[in-house]
Amino acid sequence: MTSQQILADMATALVSGKIEIVDLTAPLGPDTPILHLPPDFAKNTPKFKMHEISAYDQNGPWWAWGWMELGEHTGTHFDAPSHWISGKDVPENTTDTVPVKNFVAPCAVIDCAAEVAADPDFLLTKEHVQAWEAKHGDIQPGTWVLLRSDWYHRNTSTEAFLNADENGSHTPGPSVDCVQYLVEKNVMGFGSECVGTDAGNAAGFTPPFPAHSLLLGIGRYGLASLTNLDKLPPTGAMLVVAPLKIIGGTGSPVRALAIVPRD
Ligand code: 23J
Ligand code: MN
């Protein structure tokens, strides 16, 4: 089949609904949950804020527009390699230099919803990934690996989303050996429904924050605060996720879309 035919068939399937577009993006607004780092890293990212320039009024009689106060790592967002010290010198490591072909890639969805419901500190291990592969096939290079936790249902409450107590944040993520395995597989990156790609207690891992440190360190990427992963098949969907082309950006909010076969 020619590539022209593939795209023509895709257009037909989109119109008929045999291929569906699923929105993996959380709404972006003043109530969007923001990461809270421990007090020894006192400087946190600010909450999203929209400032009005005009609203069809004396400031602009025929138009409405605003300007935003927006952290790079806010809401559903992309982590570029330069976000982490391990990725600071890798080539094409900022939002404006990441090769655009990496913004369209297949995804493997690992369903951990039941495990996370039983234990919010659940860690996805190498063994879990290998068990998934035994069922669904080996994860190929350049594939996004997404942890389905159903955590996105908590996204409307910062408290429930961060799930913190005096011992820190209780949210799922990958173990160190899991991320090492994903590095060996040369995946496109790791995606999570939680506020960041790493588990809530990942500051204490060796290395700390492995999804950040190891994957960004090899020039790969992260996706955080994804939604609707329960609407994706384990394999066969394609992600379209592109950060804003911020010059030197370490990350960016995204509109994350999945192209999903439905027949
Ligand atoms: C800075 C420090 C630690 C973490 C993060 C940012 C993120 O999760 C992020 O948004 O990249 S864990
Ligand atoms: Mn981030």
Side-chain angles (χ1 to χ4, degrees):
M1 195 189 291
T2 64
S3 49
Q4 207 164 38
Q5 190 60 52
I6 291 169
L7 282 181
D9 288 350
M10 178 165 169
T12 307
L14 279 165
V15 170
S16 73
K18 281 187 181 177
I19 289 177
E20 189 189 350
I21 307 297
V22 174
D23 193 358
L24 308 183
T25 321
L28 187 56
D31 297 328
T32 296
I34 297 290
L35 179 73
H36 284 266
L37 289 170
D40 37 327
F41 305 106
K43 204 161 172 181
N44 270 296
T45 196
K47 295 206 115 191
F48 173 95
K49 198 168 172 190
M50 182 65 81
H51 302 267
E52 185 180 295
I53 304 173
S54 76
Y56 327 113
D57 54 15
Q58 71 284 1
N59 294 318
W62 300 318
W63 56 89
W65 55 355
W67 66 275
M68 291 174 286
E69 223 173 294
L70 174 65
E72 291 178 315
H73 298 259
T74 301
T76 305
H77 75 271
F78 177 90
D79 288 345
S82 69
H83 177 43
W84 220 253
I85 188 165
S86 53
K88 124 182 130 56
D89 296 319
V90 309
E92 303 174 320
N93 63 352
T94 53
T95 49
D96 55 328
T97 56
V98 170
V100 293
K101 70 172 164 53
N102 291 344
F103 299 151
V104 182
C107 63
V109 182
I110 304 184
D111 180 5
C112 305
E115 291 87 340
V116 172
D119 174 16
D121 291 310
F122 171 78
L123 293 183
L124 180 72
T125 63
K126 173 182 173 175
E127 286 70 33
H128 287 124
V129 176
Q130 288 176 328
W132 183 95
E133 287 183 304
K135 224 166 134 184
H136 301 288
D138 284 359
I139 292 171
Q140 298 302 311
T143 301
W144 282 106
V145 174
L146 308 180
L147 192 168
R148 172 187 164 194
S149 57
D150 289 355
W151 202 261
Y152 79 89
H153 293 295
R154 297 170 176 246
N155 208 316
T156 48
S157 152
T158 294
E159 201 187 339
F161 198 59
L162 301 180
N163 200 32
D165 62 17
E166 63 282 3
N167 299 316
S169 190
H170 300 279
T171 58
S175 69
V176 173
D177 71 331
C178 176
V179 183
Q180 283 166 341
Y181 185 64
L182 299 181
V183 165
E184 280 170 37
K185 295 244 146 188
N186 194 19
V187 300
M188 187 63 79
F190 182 80
S192 169
E193 295 173 24
C194 299
V195 73
T197 51
D198 271 300
N201 61 356
F205 294 2
T206 312
F209 304 109
H212 286 82
S213 122
L214 302 178
L215 278 166
L216 304 187
I218 60 155
R220 291 311 204 172
Y221 317 108
L223 289 175
S225 298
L226 292 168
T227 70
N228 289 327
L229 297 186
D230 54 336
K231 310 202 169 53
L232 302 186
T235 65
M238 190 79 84
L239 288 199
V240 181
V241 179
L244 296 178
K245 203 167 180 172
I246 301 164
I247 297 169
T250 69
S252 158
V254 291
R255 191 69 185 255
L257 303 174
I259 305 173
V260 183
R262 287 298 185 214
D263 59 349

